[in-house]
Amino acid sequence: MARGARILEGEHTAQEILRDVRQQVRDLDDEHRLTVTLAFVVVGDNPATLQLIANKKARAEDAGLRTELHTLPADTADGEVITVIDGLNHDPGVHGILIQHHMPRYRDARRLIEAVDPAKDVDGFHTANAGLLATDVPAFVPCDALAGVHLLKEHVDPRPVGWHAVVVGDTHRTGRPSARLLLGERCTVTIAHEDTRDLADICKQADILFAATNRAGMIRAHHVKPGAAVFDLGRSRITVNGELRIVGDVRFDEVREVAGWVTPVPGGLGPVAVAMLMRNVVTACRRQKRLDARGARHAG
Amino acid sequence: MARGARILEGEHTAQEILRDVRQQVRDLDDEHRLTVTLAFVVVGDNPATLQLIANKKARAEDAGLRTELHTLPADTADGEVITVIDGLNHDPGVHGILIQHHMPRYRDARRLIEAVDPAKDVDGFHTANAGLLATDVPAFVPCDALAGVHLLKEHVDPRPVGWHAVVVGDTHRTGRPSARLLLGERCTVTIAHEDTRDLADICKQADILFAATNRAGMIRAHHVKPGAAVFDLGRSRITVNGELRIVGDVRFDEVREVAGWVTPVPGGLGPVAVAMLMRNVVTACRRQKRLDARGARHAG
């Protein structure tokens, strides 16, 4: 048996999705005079956040989307931020709204997310969208989860019915929607977390392992069943020799010796997730304008 | 070691909950002139459904609630049913609304459930309530799930952190909310279903087994780890010697020899679930009138 996992780089897949997004953006412009637009609302000036937003903004523009950046000082009151969000909710020229995630500690992130019109919540974080996913009529699904399942189906098994998937991490934004999508694919799904006993034993049962803890390098070789497909959805910022690095949950160099497939960080799920976000924005625009995937207008 | 499971009869627990409900209903009447009211909307005349509704109605009245029964012919158009629901949504004298479940096949049950005001959805089936549960701010949670977790905490472990729970059945109304509540208790949770491979091996890992498939008697002794706590959330109607009987998912006579705890059907979870429903109605009334658990009026 050949040793060493197949490395699932996401860039190629991301480019395929973005090519399709670009075509749809052009069609919406040509046929309906619509300029697909994504608005960012950023509170404060955390450099890491600004870098993240700049990357997404560049990707969006590369995909042909128009972007708007609304930056507010770190000490802006929640009520004022909500006023900005509400303006975007009611602006027919804005189709998707992203709220920056790394809120100062005192700020009630949930309240701001709930202020976004669910029809423009392209991150899929609003409870209305969580409810739709929970009842099998997904509208907007968080992009890391979409990206993981997309890579699974593209590279490992297009119909993963009956496989045992273990999702490590029960977060609203990543672990939970991943579990729900994997159940939708008819996997048996175990959700593990920091209170799980014998985590390695649980993980070792996984045909498909989704790591979504944001705890750097916690998934090691002894967590992985030989030949399993390992998807790293974690992101942590660590400093190595004074240099900031983004690392995942998976100890890549160890796990690649055991797994059948593994996504690297960076370069694995990340680019696919960003492409999925852009696809969500196009979907949002179509739905708001009642256009189906062919560009025809709905009756309803 | 003593053989034989402890049988978790629910009637005593149900009576405790109902005693508290009765007291709250009296207080709301005495202090606020509120008559806590539950409305049933029943389409068609399926005898089993009418029997179920009659039982719930009797329990509600026994708990001091006022009930309203709205029965519509089986051929009523969805739009007309929704008109009735909408009238109840806007009636300040109605605090909870139940839609009968066993819709004729052609009828879009989801559409009717979504027509109920989430604030009056005491069954917890509306996507808005599923979303709140998915994001850890539960409002109304389906009563079978509430009952299972209540009996678990009352009789087995008040803090089941880190136990491995296996939920068999991924239904909107029972399996999914059970999994979410068990995760809220910090159990490790596996969700299995009809596409699960090696179901017995998966179930045998369970410290806590929730059976929610509605497949009569499918959980047998070889599915159960010795000493496990087994909760039977399933209901099937079968005919034995010409007599209609309600049975659960668990082959009780086998499983009681292996398990540490097991709920019988009938008499286990059922009465607790009905009591939880009544508690949801009182909670709905309080929230609609902005009253906290002490009866004081909220500022907001």
Side-chain angles (χ1 to χ4, degrees):
Chain A
M1 195 178 81
R3 263 177 82 86
R6 192 167 147 209
I7 311 302
L8 297 178
E9 300 281 356
E11 193 55 41
H12 178 75
T13 301
Q15 286 305 333
E16 274 183 354
I17 297 165
L18 288 169
R19 198 152 41 233
D20 176 59
V21 166
R22 249 178 243 117
Q23 184 60 50
Q24 291 194 59
V25 168
R26 268 197 302 270
D27 291 349
L28 285 164
D29 188 2
D30 290 351
E31 295 164 24
H32 301 280
R33 298 282 136 222
L34 287 167
T35 306
V36 183
T37 298
L38 173 61
F40 297 87
V41 178
V42 183
V43 186
D45 54 3
N46 178 305
T49 301
L50 294 180
Q51 181 59 50
L52 193 80
I53 296 288
N55 288 345
K56 283 188 186 172
K57 197 164 172 297
R59 281 276 179 166
E61 286 163 7
D62 180 49
L65 274 66
R66 192 173 79 82
T67 64
E68 288 183 8
L69 182 56
H70 300 264
T71 49
L72 299 163
D75 60 356
T76 311
D78 279 359
E80 282 179 64
V81 182
I82 289 173
T83 303
V84 172
I85 294 170
D86 213 45
L88 298 169
N89 285 343
H90 288 94
D91 183 344
V94 168
H95 309 107
I97 303 171
L98 289 191
I99 312 294
Q100 72 109 327
H101 306 176
H102 305 284
M103 295 289 168
R105 213 169 265 282
Y106 70 90
R107 200 175 288 279
D108 183 352
R110 174 53 55 196
R111 191 175 161 214
L112 298 187
I113 288 162
E114 295 303 313
V116 175
D117 181 347
K120 298 188 177 184
D121 167 42
V122 288
D123 261 337
F125 293 161
H126 195 286
T127 54
N129 284 317
L132 288 169
L133 181 59
T135 51
D136 289 335
V137 280
F140 299 110
V141 177
C143 297
D144 286 328
L146 285 175
V149 173
H150 188 90
L151 286 175
L152 166 67
K153 293 178 74 173
E154 183 176 61
H155 292 290
V156 181
D157 188 344
R159 258 190 104 245
V161 178
W163 292 114
H164 191 168
V166 175
V167 178
V168 188
D170 184 36
T171 58
H172 297 189
R173 292 178 176 184
T174 314
R176 292 182 190 192
S178 296
R180 187 39 51 210
L181 289 181
L182 290 163
L183 281 160
E185 298 296 335
R186 310 305 299 157
C187 296
T188 301
V189 176
T190 297
I191 303 162
H193 46 72
E194 54 195 357
D195 290 315
T196 292
R197 300 174 195 177
D198 308 319
L199 180 67
D201 287 347
I202 296 278
C203 289
K204 255 201 135 133
Q205 296 182 38
D207 304 303
I208 299 160
L209 185 62
F210 271 53
T213 68
N214 295 332
R215 288 167 63 194
M218 71 161 295
I219 299 295
R220 308 197 53 165
H222 68 278
H223 293 85
V224 176
K225 174 157 99 173
V230 179
F231 297 85
D232 192 347
L233 288 75
R235 298 291 174 276
S236 307
R237 293 189 179 86
I238 61 167
T239 309
V240 179
N241 301 331
E243 196 192 338
L244 188 73
R245 283 175 56 182
I246 306 287
V247 297
D249 290 356
V250 173
R251 201 77 63 104
F252 185 78
D253 288 336
E254 286 185 14
V255 167
R256 69 181 297 178
E257 298 295 318
V258 183
W261 295 263
V262 61
T263 61
V265 173
L269 266 129
V272 182
V274 175
M276 288 292 180
L277 177 65
M278 303 313 152
R279 194 159 80 171
N280 275 355
V281 181
V282 173
T283 302
C285 176
R286 283 193 188 289
R287 289 191 184 189
Q288 286 158 39
K289 306 302 176 187
R290 298 185 176 283
L291 298 168
D292 67 19
R294 301 267 155 283
R297 213 167 279 270
H298 288 298
Chain B
M1 196 178 80
R3 262 176 82 88
R6 192 168 148 211
I7 312 302
L8 298 177
E9 300 281 357
E11 193 56 41
H12 179 76
T13 301
Q15 286 305 334
E16 275 184 352
I17 297 165
L18 288 170
R19 202 155 35 236
D20 177 60
V21 167
R22 250 177 243 118
Q23 185 60 52
Q24 292 194 58
V25 168
R26 268 197 301 271
D27 291 349
L28 285 164
D29 187 2
D30 290 350
E31 294 164 25
H32 302 281
R33 297 283 137 222
L34 287 168
T35 306
V36 182
T37 299
L38 173 61
F40 297 88
V41 178
V42 184
V43 186
D45 54 3
N46 178 304
T49 301
L50 294 181
Q51 182 60 49
L52 193 80
I53 296 289
N55 288 347
K56 284 188 186 172
K57 199 164 170 297
R59 282 273 179 170
E61 286 163 8
D62 181 48
L65 274 65
R66 192 174 79 82
T67 64
E68 287 183 9
L69 182 57
H70 300 263
T71 48
L72 299 163
D75 60 356
T76 311
D78 280 359
E80 281 179 65
V81 183
I82 290 173
T83 302
V84 171
I85 294 170
D86 213 45
L88 298 169
N89 286 342
H90 289 92
D91 182 345
V94 168
H95 309 108
I97 303 170
L98 289 193
I99 311 294
Q100 72 109 327
H101 307 176
H102 307 284
M103 294 289 168
R105 213 170 266 282
Y106 70 89
R107 198 174 288 281
D108 184 350
R110 174 53 57 196
R111 191 174 160 214
L112 299 186
I113 288 162
E114 295 302 313
V116 175
D117 180 346
K120 298 189 177 183
D121 167 42
V122 288
D123 262 337
F125 294 160
H126 195 286
T127 53
N129 284 317
L132 288 168
L133 181 58
T135 51
D136 289 336
V137 280
F140 299 110
V141 177
C143 298
D144 286 327
L146 284 176
V149 173
H150 187 90
L151 286 176
L152 166 68
K153 294 179 73 173
E154 183 176 60
H155 293 290
V156 181
D157 188 345
R159 257 190 104 248
V161 178
W163 292 114
H164 191 168
V166 175
V167 177
V168 188
D170 184 37
T171 58
H172 297 189
R173 293 179 175 182
T174 314
R176 291 182 191 191
S178 296
R180 187 39 52 209
L181 289 181
L182 290 162
L183 281 161
E185 298 295 335
R186 311 305 299 154
C187 296
T188 301
V189 175
T190 297
I191 303 162
H193 46 72
E194 55 194 358
D195 291 314
T196 292
R197 299 175 195 178
D198 307 319
L199 180 67
D201 288 348
I202 296 278
C203 289
K204 254 201 134 133
Q205 295 182 37
D207 305 303
I208 298 160
L209 185 63
F210 271 53
T213 67
N214 294 334
R215 287 167 63 193
M218 71 162 294
I219 300 294
R220 309 197 52 164
H222 68 277
H223 292 86
V224 177
K225 174 156 100 173
V230 179
F231 297 86
D232 192 347
L233 288 77
R235 297 291 174 275
S236 307
R237 293 189 180 86
I238 60 167
T239 308
V240 180
N241 300 332
E243 197 193 335
L244 188 72
R245 283 174 56 181
I246 306 287
V247 297
D249 289 356
V250 173
R251 198 77 63 108
F252 185 77
D253 288 335
E254 286 185 14
V255 167
R256 67 181 298 179
E257 298 295 318
V258 183
W261 296 263
V262 62
T263 61
V265 173
L269 267 130
V272 183
V274 175
M276 288 293 181
L277 176 65
M278 303 313 151
R279 194 160 79 172
N280 275 356
V281 181
V282 174
T283 304
C285 176
R286 283 192 188 288
R287 291 192 183 185
Q288 286 159 40
K289 306 302 177 187
R290 298 185 176 281
L291 298 167
D292 67 19
R294 300 268 156 281
R297 214 166 279 270
H298 289 301

